[in-house]
Amino acid sequence: MRQTWRWFGPKDRVTVEDARQAGVEGIVTALHHVPTGDIWTPEEIEKRQREVAFLPDGSMSGLAWEVVESLPVSEAIKTQTGDWKKHVASYKRSLQNLAAAGIEVVCYNFMPVLDWTRTDLHWRVKHGGRAMRFDLADFAAFDIHILKRKGAAESFSEPVRESAAKRFGAMDEARRTQLAGNVTAGLPGAVESWSLPELAAHLATYDGVTPERLRRNLIDFLAEVAPVAQSLGLRLCCHPDDPPFPLLGLPRIMSTEADYRSVLDAVDVPANGVTFCTGSLGARPDNDLPAMVKNLADRIHFVHLRNVCRDTDEVPCSFFEDEHLAGQTDMVAVIAELLAEERRRVSAGRADANIPMRPDHGQDILDDLKRGAQPGYPAIGRLKGLAELRGVMAALKHPVLGARG
Ligand code: DNO
């Protein structure tokens, strides 16, 4: 697998030089500053390519921008309202500009209103480091008591509602503000950040948008852009919902294998593919991740490897981001399936046999606790994850093990 590393651009406190020392082969980034719906121009793309290729002292980094994460899909496209047709046209143009710049893999998501969501960004784990956590009772406390969304209480079970009321009662003002900020202010890479009234207004735009409707809108979008991507030699890959269940009464439609299957089959071109994120999909006990890799294999264009530990086996549930080889996802089995797919691609003569992966998220450990990098994207925690994953890949590819297995 091709080892890549997410970089948020010049403001990222984990630099391209750091990525180089981590030993990665390529960079994953985006033009986070371009408003959603606008065209990514050749000039802006080239500028970011230079920022990746050259270190501050003017020497070459030896790294290139290989994967876009993300080329965001506007709310207008998701709801098919307002300027959505114009945004689709801009999206196609951005794809053309990326292809002309030599970038082939483009990740996006189709989560309404919120991208990934956590209630704690620096939750203390047993070893004293910090990790991200999604706590269902805290989330319910936000939804019912802070946002005060109509219908919120009914979206949770009675025990969760009760814990939420207790939690909310015990929270001081600072924690309430922090919790609201964690949910609404947009985590790294998320394109939008809302105030509470703005969030409520955006939620209202989904009144009457059923999961079936949202899926149809995604398919309509892909019917437009996937053939363009295909003709340009690009690979589009949809990131799963994170967490993989509905929140705030919004539909979520990319949470399971069946969700992916229906969308891949509906627009049946190789460029319509999957970002296989083990951390997102792993937050549902009914997702069998190694089996999902096997079944979706030929359309997996990009991989995020990380692990979660769920508190219970219910959907929805609370979870925290565990170490890459801990948690409930059988990471060795997932990687074995991915390597098997790479071998199949080699035999089929596919040019995309080396699938880009990145160590996704990491716990804050050691000096990460002082660096103040983007939540979930520390230097050392990610490097530790990458080192462990690299060990698994090396072992699984070793001829001795291959011969025995
Ligand atoms: C979180 C990320 C997501 C992802 C987008 C892709 O760490 O994996 O924000 O970048 O959902 O569109």
Side-chain angles (χ1 to χ4, degrees):
M1 306 192 78
R2 189 146 179 99
Q3 298 172 22
T4 64
W5 184 268
R6 192 172 196 183
W7 182 59
F8 289 100
K11 67 160 196 206
D12 196 329
R13 294 195 183 166
V14 184
T15 62
V16 172
E17 280 170 290
D18 296 332
R20 205 158 76 122
Q21 288 184 30
V24 294
E25 300 162 289
I27 293 291
V28 176
T29 188
L31 302 181
H32 297 287
H33 55 286
V34 177
T36 306
D38 283 9
I39 294 171
W40 286 17
T41 62
E43 296 72 33
E44 287 293 321
I45 294 170
E46 200 199 316
K47 179 162 177 262
R48 177 54 51 87
Q49 284 181 308
R50 278 200 308 272
E51 287 161 348
V52 171
F54 294 99
L55 298 177
D57 68 1
S59 61
M60 302 283 286
S61 69
L63 295 171
W65 179 8
E66 297 187 357
V67 177
V68 171
E69 181 174 354
S70 293
L71 181 56
V73 180
S74 68
E75 286 296 307
I77 293 178
K78 289 176 201 161
T79 52
Q80 291 196 354
T81 54
D83 276 344
W84 76 277
K85 289 199 169 143
K86 192 171 146 221
H87 290 178
V88 171
S90 304
Y91 207 95
K92 291 181 188 169
R93 177 54 79 82
S94 298
L95 292 178
Q96 279 159 5
N97 294 343
L98 286 164
I103 299 168
E104 292 180 5
V105 180
V106 179
C107 169
Y108 69 97
N109 76 72
F110 217 77
M111 285 177 253
V113 187
L114 297 178
D115 190 321
W116 58 306
T117 306
R118 298 289 182 272
T119 54
D120 292 273
L121 311 186
H122 304 285
W123 185 72
R124 201 179 162 84
V125 274
K126 270 199 216 113
H127 55 49
R130 306 273 167 175
M132 306 189 102
R133 177 170 164 83
F134 178 84
D135 188 291
L136 193 59
D138 280 349
F139 190 81
F142 165 77
D143 197 5
I144 303 169
H145 301 287
I146 299 179
L147 182 63
K148 299 189 171 69
R149 180 176 64 86
K150 203 167 140 243
E154 295 75 62
S155 3
F156 300 95
S157 67
E158 180 59 32
V160 172
R161 275 203 297 269
E162 276 170 22
S163 323
K166 278 195 207 122
R167 291 275 178 89
F168 181 70
M171 279 176 203
D172 60 16
E173 208 41 50
R175 171 61 186 150
R176 289 177 186 174
T177 308
Q178 183 194 51
L179 174 61
N182 291 351
V183 176
T184 60
L187 290 174
V191 276
E192 266 118 1
S193 134
W194 316 114
S195 65
L196 285 182
E198 281 168 349
L199 177 62
H202 276 278
L203 294 180
T205 63
Y206 281 84
D207 280 350
V209 179
T210 59
E212 293 68 38
R213 180 65 213 263
L214 187 65
R215 182 171 293 115
R216 212 165 54 236
N217 293 356
L218 170 55
I219 292 169
D220 287 349
F221 167 69
L222 285 167
E224 289 283 332
V225 299
V228 173
Q230 184 69 31
S231 70
L232 291 165
L234 299 180
R235 301 188 283 290
L236 283 175
C237 38
C238 190
H239 190 281
D241 303 321
D242 182 5
F245 37 77
L247 295 177
L248 303 178
L250 293 165
R252 293 246 198 189
I253 54 158
M254 294 304 272
S255 299
T256 64
E257 182 180 330
D259 288 341
Y260 272 100
R261 184 43 61 204
S262 66
V263 168
L264 298 181
D265 289 351
V267 183
D268 200 8
V269 290
N272 175 21
V274 180
T275 297
F276 197 85
C277 175
T278 55
S280 306
L281 296 166
R284 277 182 82 111
D286 52 350
N287 279 340
D288 173 347
L289 269 61
M292 285 177 79
V293 175
K294 202 181 207 156
N295 298 337
L296 300 170
D298 66 333
R299 296 281 193 95
I300 295 177
H301 297 323
F302 184 33
V303 177
H304 289 176
L305 294 177
R306 71 179 164 85
N307 224 314
V308 292
C309 181
R310 299 181 301 267
D311 289 14
T312 64
D313 270 345
E314 285 149 323
V315 181
C317 67
S318 303
F319 59 86
F320 75 93
E321 299 194 2
D322 213 330
E323 291 164 3
H324 288 69
L325 300 187
Q328 285 133 339
T329 294
D330 185 344
M331 194 59 83
V332 176
V334 165
I335 294 174
E337 289 298 345
L338 288 163
L339 295 176
E341 170 59 12
E342 289 195 327
R343 287 193 298 273
R344 277 193 293 273
R345 291 186 189 186
V346 170
S347 339
R350 273 173 66 163
D352 61 348
N354 202 1
I355 305 173
M357 61 71 71
R358 65 176 182 82
D360 197 15
H361 302 182
Q363 299 185 339
D364 287 317
I365 52 173
L366 310 174
D367 289 15
D368 292 333
L369 295 161
K370 290 181 282 195
R371 193 191 287 231
Q374 302 270 14
Y377 288 88
I380 302 173
R382 268 189 297 166
L383 170 56
K384 174 174 176 257
L386 175 61
E388 293 177 348
L389 297 167
R390 199 182 264 151
V392 172
M393 293 187 259
L396 289 175
K397 281 174 132 169
H398 194 280
V400 169
L401 197 72
R404 284 199 192 138

